Amino acid sequence: MKISKYTKIFVEIDTVLNFGFYAYFFSVLFLNLMNFGIFLYYISFLFVFSMNFILIIFTRIWFIQKKAFTIQLMYSIITILVNACILSIFSLFLSVKLSLGFFLYLFLLLSNVARFGCVIVEILQCKRKGIQTRLQIRGKQNYFYALIITFVILQSVIILPTNGLGIYYKTIDINSDPYMNETLKLSFYASEVSYDYLTNNSILGVLNGSSNLGVIPAQIIMHVSENTLMDSNKSFRTAKIIQNCTSSGIDVYIWFYYEENGMYPSWEDISYLPVFKSIFDSWVANFALNITGIIMDFEFDQTVSEETPRSPFSSMYNLLGHKLETEKNWTETVDAYVSIMNDWRSTFGYEIGLVGMDMTLRDMDGDPDIQQMFGIINYPPETDYWDRASYMLYRHCEYHVNPNTQGYVFMQSRIVNKYYPENGAVAIGCTGSFPTYDTTDKILHDLALVKYTGIDTIELFEFQGFFTHFGIQGLQSVMNASKVGWEYPKFRILLSSFDYITFLGSYAVDVLMNFH
């Protein structure tokens, strides 16, 4: 007796849907970790679908009774295990636990368990010497109907929202307790192209709140490099601008990079930090500057950032190789960073802050696997080490292929607040020239959104882009958000499974790294 043609057809459809879903899952994983571009999504889909059709052809050829059962059993077991893993990872994803996406995966797991049971029942039926009774025929029909309902329809429902359709809406309302009694502390990143704005007394008056009662003074995070500090003219100009800010009651933080190689602090750049510290400390002393703190902007190693992607497989191989290299002296490198940061804190009284990349938020299982892959130092692991821990939840900058959504900001901001309840902060950008923040209302939208998640410190990137597009009135409008009792009309944001699956992929990588 051979399997019915309807079961054959279903197995092919079901296989296509499952492989398509996992193709998307892993393509988003690669996209999220390496930012190759949206084309990878389509390439992965086409590749896996092509391989799947080859599998279907062989399945048709080998679809005799015994091998058909074997194929179905193996396929069922694999899908059960895969979906169980995805579900367990989903349950670790604190910001979406018990959401609709969680239950969709739960149903997918249960449907595959049901499929496994159906195959076992059919095997037992066929062991009865293949006798076809009316009861068996009816059972095969019910089996076929159950397959269509539980697998084809259900998995289609899962795949469709995975492609970016919204799952549900979340209402954001900060016009009630405890939000009305809380304030926002706003900070602006200021690169060298922003310096001239900080010599304008009208702008400083808006930033410090003197021209708008009730506003909490903003903070300025100034961008400097070792070459700037060693150039007599540039170092003098930078010092005078800091003095302008601090004399106006505006706290100044330093955000630095190494101009010699165009990189920010990372694992392979540790040798630059003692040199920078020596130059920086002398410069601060020479001009008697009042610096509030240091912001450590930890980013990719130069080796990783300059790699030309050829394929997701070769890039993943290279990243794993890079991880093996960083593991050799990771602890020593972290200790070297901590030693210098501790000296800044104890000797000079600086606050020590972190501005981290969003992917390192998914590396919070007690080990630095993802950080070691990319050379990002976001440790020590004690989250209370930092006086402030900010994460770059940028929705659209020049390196983004597609803008991130408000759902992305909402979920990530909740995770920041979960890990850093006392010292967490969020950086949003890029303001001004990019569509996501090309009006002040869009910026206020996300300020309210982040405040709703429990974060009270928000950093805006970057001041030159902001002021060029919005001017003094736009600055006043945004600074009003720092007032006690700031009201903003409630609104709804769309939470999409695309937002979920993106971060789920990184969690999966982090978990798998524990076994490599």
Side-chain angles (χ1 to χ4, degrees):
M1 183 193 72
K2 293 185 178 181
I3 302 297
S4 68
K5 65 177 181 180
Y6 299 109
T7 306
K8 293 181 183 181
I9 293 172
F10 166 72
V11 170
E12 294 170 4
I13 295 174
D14 184 42
T15 305
V16 170
L17 289 175
N18 270 279
F19 272 81
F21 171 73
Y22 296 125
Y24 178 74
F25 175 83
F26 286 109
S27 68
V28 171
L29 183 154
F30 285 125
L31 276 172
N32 190 44
L33 289 181
M34 281 163 278
N35 197 24
F36 285 167
I38 199 63
F39 70 92
L40 184 59
Y41 162 72
Y42 297 105
I43 292 176
S44 298
F45 234 134
L46 289 173
F47 173 76
V48 177
F49 262 59
S50 300
M51 297 302 294
N52 186 62
F53 282 123
I54 294 174
L55 176 64
I56 289 174
I57 292 172
F58 283 102
T59 302
R60 277 188 173 278
I61 295 173
W62 293 337
F63 227 111
I64 59 176
Q65 179 178 307
K66 183 177 179 180
K67 290 188 178 179
F69 288 145
T70 303
I71 291 171
Q72 287 208 58
L73 278 174
M74 291 179 62
Y75 180 72
S76 298
I77 292 171
I78 291 171
T79 51
I80 287 171
L81 292 175
V82 170
N83 284 289
C85 289
I86 292 177
L87 188 67
S88 65
I89 296 167
F90 226 128
S91 68
L92 297 175
F93 192 20
L94 300 176
S95 69
V96 297
K97 187 174 182 179
L98 302 183
S99 69
L100 183 56
F102 178 89
F103 289 110
L104 284 175
Y105 280 99
L106 177 61
F107 286 132
L108 182 58
L109 175 62
L110 294 177
S111 71
N112 280 284
V113 172
R115 174 187 181 135
F116 181 76
C118 289
V119 175
I120 295 297
V121 169
E122 192 160 350
I123 289 175
L124 293 176
Q125 287 178 343
C126 290
K127 282 193 173 184
R128 296 177 182 175
K129 299 180 181 179
I131 298 175
Q132 292 283 353
T133 65
R134 294 189 65 179
L135 180 62
Q136 286 180 322
I137 294 172
R138 172 59 61 182
K140 284 184 178 294
Q141 290 175 347
N142 291 338
Y143 173 48
F144 169 68
Y145 296 145
L147 292 178
I148 295 297
I149 292 172
T150 59
F151 304 142
V152 177
I153 296 178
L154 179 62
Q155 293 181 36
S156 297
V157 167
I158 292 175
I159 292 170
L160 284 174
T162 301
N163 281 278
L165 300 179
I167 288 183
Y168 65 95
Y169 284 91
K170 176 71 177 178
T171 299
I172 307 299
D173 184 5
I174 62 168
N175 301 320
S176 59
D177 291 335
Y179 306 106
M180 294 298 291
N181 298 321
E182 296 176 348
T183 61
L184 277 180
K185 184 174 291 184
L186 300 180
S187 304
F188 288 90
Y189 285 93
S191 59
E192 292 186 23
V193 294
S194 304
Y195 284 4
D196 287 341
Y197 295 108
L198 300 177
T199 62
N200 186 304
N201 289 331
S202 297
I203 294 175
L204 294 176
V206 175
L207 289 171
N208 67 15
S210 62
S211 62
N212 192 353
L213 295 180
V215 166
I216 305 298
Q219 301 168 334
I220 294 296
I221 305 174
M222 292 195 65
H223 199 217
V224 301
S225 69
E226 78 284 12
N227 287 356
T228 296
L229 302 184
M230 291 189 294
D231 183 291
S232 58
N233 292 328
K234 289 182 178 180
S235 64
F236 178 81
R237 174 173 174 258
T238 304
K240 289 301 179 184
I241 290 171
I242 291 176
Q243 291 168 347
N244 279 345
C245 291
T246 55
S247 63
S248 299
I250 299 171
D251 289 340
V252 174
Y253 290 77
I254 296 299
W255 153 53
F256 66 91
Y257 76 111
Y258 309 123
E259 193 171 345
E260 181 177 334
N261 64 357
M263 299 299 293
Y264 290 89
S266 69
W267 169 77
E268 66 184 6
D269 288 329
I270 180 60
S271 61
Y272 287 90
L273 186 56
V275 176
F276 176 84
K277 183 179 184 300
S278 175
I279 297 170
F280 175 78
D281 292 347
S282 298
W283 173 70
V284 170
N286 289 339
F287 289 97
L289 300 177
N290 183 14
I291 303 296
T292 301
I294 306 291
I295 301 295
M296 303 296 294
D297 183 357
F298 289 117
E299 300 198 12
F300 291 160
D301 276 340
Q302 188 172 11
T303 303
V304 175
S305 63
E306 292 183 350
E307 179 186 350
T308 301
R310 296 182 297 276
S311 74
F313 304 104
S314 64
S315 294
M316 185 59 72
Y317 176 81
N318 292 337
L319 285 173
L320 290 174
H322 191 66
K323 183 178 185 298
L324 293 175
E325 287 297 315
T326 61
E327 285 177 338
K328 294 176 181 178
N329 68 340
W330 183 262
T331 301
E332 292 81 359
T333 303
V334 171
D335 289 345
Y337 271 109
V338 171
S339 175
I340 290 176
M341 292 188 296
N342 284 346
D343 184 65
W344 265 331
R345 176 182 276 153
S346 60
T347 304
F348 299 93
Y350 297 151
E351 294 180 15
I352 302 298
L354 160 74
V355 56
M357 305 186 75
D358 60 352
M359 70 172 60
T360 57
L361 275 175
R362 295 150 243 165
D363 202 6
M364 303 296 284
D365 63 345
D367 58 55
D369 290 327
I370 292 179
Q371 297 175 60
Q372 289 174 344
M373 287 176 69
F374 295 92
I376 307 170
I377 304 281
N378 270 26
Y379 267 51
E382 299 83 8
T383 55
D384 59 355
Y385 174 84
W386 307 103
D387 294 296
R388 71 196 280 175
S390 175
Y391 284 85
M392 295 179 277
L393 307 188
Y394 296 161
R395 289 181 58 193
H396 197 185
C397 294
E398 63 271 8
Y399 52 81
H400 284 100
V401 178
N402 287 316
N404 288 316
T405 65
Q406 285 189 304
Y408 157 84
V409 175
F410 175 75
M411 290 187 295
Q412 289 290 84
S413 183
R414 287 183 63 180
I415 298 175
V416 173
N417 190 45
K418 177 69 179 181
Y419 288 125
Y420 303 94
E422 302 298 329
N423 55 346
V426 162
I428 63 173
C430 292
T431 59
S433 58
F434 294 91
T436 48
Y437 294 127
D438 58 0
T439 68
T440 54
D441 192 55
K442 291 180 180 178
I443 296 174
L444 292 171
H445 231 62
D446 279 5
L447 294 183
L449 175 64
V450 173
K451 183 177 182 178
Y452 181 85
T453 65
I455 298 293
D456 62 4
T457 301
I458 303 178
E459 302 165 354
L460 289 86
F461 185 84
E462 180 271 347
F463 193 72
Q464 188 268 348
F466 178 94
F467 198 84
T468 299
H469 286 81
F470 307 126
I472 198 80
Q473 291 183 337
L475 184 59
Q476 289 173 333
S477 176
V478 168
M479 287 299 299
N480 283 335
S482 67
K483 293 182 177 180
V484 175
W486 174 56
E487 296 184 1
Y488 192 81
K490 66 179 180 180
F491 58 94
R492 297 198 305 168
I493 62 171
L494 181 65
L495 297 179
S496 164
S497 59
F498 180 86
D499 299 316
Y500 300 155
I501 202 76
T502 299
F503 306 115
L504 185 61
S506 290
Y507 276 121
V509 169
D510 191 20
V511 172
L512 292 174
M513 284 294 99
N514 295 328
F515 304 100
H516 103 284

